[in-house]
Amino acid sequence: MGRLSAKSDYESLRDARISENMARMEMLGLRRCAGELSDIASASSRRAAGSATPRKTPRPRVKSMIPLRRSGRLAVATPTGSASSHRRSARLNGQSVQHTALPPKGGLSKLAAATADETDEDDEEEEVLVDKKRVQALQERRCDSRGRGGVYDPVLGICCHFCRQKKLCGEEDCKRCGEGDLKKPCLGKTDCSSCHSSNGILCRACLKVRYGEEMEEVRKNKNWMCPHCIEEKGIKKFWICNSSFCLKKRKIPPTGIAIYNAREQGYESVAHLLMDRLKQQAF
């Protein structure tokens, strides 16, 4: 073991550098400045501890005598010092005011009804013109495929519960999509005989692909019910709606485009595939 009292070369070099730095600080006067600063800091700390310094009161703000409105137009329009500058009423300024006589008792309602009838007639004429233009433009773009229906229209189109598209149907006899008659039903959309709600509105393509039913058969069947009503009434067990909304409510992941998988396995539609899976899970 080496001796502990002997200094190493590093320690001797370190001591030599410290002594050189101290000599430089003494020559430059840094040690004296450091001492003075430490004395000032200690004195200020003692004063702060002994007595708290009073808080300075804020000086009052001097309000400017310049007017707030600097616009030359306002200065010309409303000169300062005029007594009538604040009075805007014609009666107070001495001008004559003409008043229109009110209609007799009961005449106000007749006048309002007449104006309302005129506005309604104008609105109806404008609506008819807009509908004609809309129908003419849509007929030029209307799709001939009954199963697809490729023209989207937010006014005439009825939203399908599954694909959620307001497309015009391609049915030849549909007066709503073909002639623009809003009072007529869409022949390319189903209507549940039980609930008559949006849950039972399906287009031809979704009805065939998702449930394996034909639109012609649904039209002939006046008692046709949507899958929601069939499930509520217990007519067909495990027959449910396979739209993404309804599957998420049942905590079932949406199927997406599952018709190809269903047909490969021999099922008629996606609903038949889901019905078989639910049966297997139940038993």
Side-chain angles (χ1 to χ4, degrees):
M1 295 178 64
R3 296 180 181 178
L4 298 176
S5 60
K7 284 188 176 181
S8 63
D9 295 338
Y10 171 75
E11 291 180 354
S12 60
L13 290 173
R14 179 172 172 274
D15 293 340
R17 288 178 180 175
I18 290 173
S19 60
E20 289 179 1
N21 293 332
M22 294 295 289
R24 288 178 183 176
M25 291 176 65
E26 188 69 30
M27 182 178 63
L28 296 173
L30 296 177
R31 294 186 65 181
R32 180 175 53 80
C33 293
E36 292 177 358
L37 290 174
S38 62
D39 295 340
I40 293 171
S42 60
S44 61
S45 62
R46 286 195 299 270
R47 266 193 263 104
S51 61
T53 56
R55 185 177 295 180
K56 294 182 179 180
T57 57
R59 294 180 179 179
R61 294 183 180 181
V62 180
K63 295 183 180 180
S64 176
M65 301 302 293
I66 302 173
L68 297 178
R69 292 186 176 180
R70 299 173 182 268
S71 175
R73 178 180 59 83
L74 295 175
V76 174
T78 57
T80 56
S82 61
S84 62
S85 60
H86 298 287
R87 293 185 177 182
R88 305 288 182 179
S89 175
R91 179 178 58 83
L92 295 176
N93 290 334
Q95 300 176 3
S96 60
V97 180
Q98 295 181 359
H99 300 281
T100 57
L102 292 174
K105 187 177 181 180
L108 186 60
S109 59
K110 293 180 181 179
L111 180 62
T115 53
D117 293 338
E118 291 178 359
T119 53
D120 292 340
E121 290 177 359
D122 295 339
D123 294 340
E124 289 177 359
E125 289 179 359
E126 291 179 359
E127 288 178 0
V128 170
L129 293 174
V130 171
D131 289 341
K132 287 181 180 179
K133 292 179 181 179
R134 178 187 292 274
V135 171
Q136 184 178 0
L138 291 176
Q139 287 300 321
E140 295 175 356
R141 299 171 47 239
R142 193 180 178 194
C143 184
D144 296 333
S145 175
R146 294 186 301 173
R148 207 159 47 91
V151 179
Y152 177 84
D153 187 80
V155 178
L156 298 175
I158 299 176
C159 184
C160 174
H161 178 61
F162 182 82
C163 65
R164 299 189 286 276
Q165 294 293 324
K166 291 185 177 181
K167 291 183 179 180
L168 302 181
C169 69
E171 307 294 332
E172 297 177 359
D173 301 333
C174 183
K175 294 184 178 181
R176 181 185 182 92
C177 300
E179 300 177 3
D181 191 356
L182 294 172
K183 297 180 181 179
K184 298 293 182 180
C186 179
L187 298 180
K189 301 291 191 304
T190 60
D191 184 20
C192 180
S193 61
S194 179
C195 63
H196 297 285
S197 65
S198 60
N199 294 330
I201 298 176
L202 299 168
C203 63
R204 178 185 283 270
C206 294
L207 183 67
K208 176 65 177 177
V209 171
R210 307 301 300 191
Y211 302 98
E213 300 182 20
E214 296 290 344
M215 184 63 70
E216 286 78 12
E217 297 177 359
V218 172
R219 284 187 205 156
K220 292 177 183 178
N221 186 9
K222 301 299 181 182
N223 297 322
W224 180 84
M225 288 187 294
C226 63
H228 293 267
C229 296
I230 291 175
E231 183 183 4
E232 290 178 359
K233 297 180 184 297
I235 298 173
K236 188 186 293 187
K237 199 172 182 181
F238 302 111
W239 187 259
I240 62 172
C241 179
N242 53 60
S243 66
S244 59
F245 286 143
C246 300
L247 291 178
K248 287 179 181 178
K249 289 179 181 178
R250 296 183 176 91
K251 296 182 179 180
I252 301 175
T255 59
I257 305 175
I259 184 60
Y260 301 107
N261 187 17
R263 288 176 179 173
E264 287 177 0
Q265 298 181 22
Y267 294 100
E268 186 178 356
S269 67
V270 180
H272 292 85
L273 174 63
L274 287 177
M275 183 172 62
D276 196 5
R277 288 181 181 176
L278 292 175
K279 284 180 181 179
Q280 293 175 5
Q281 293 177 3
F283 296 106

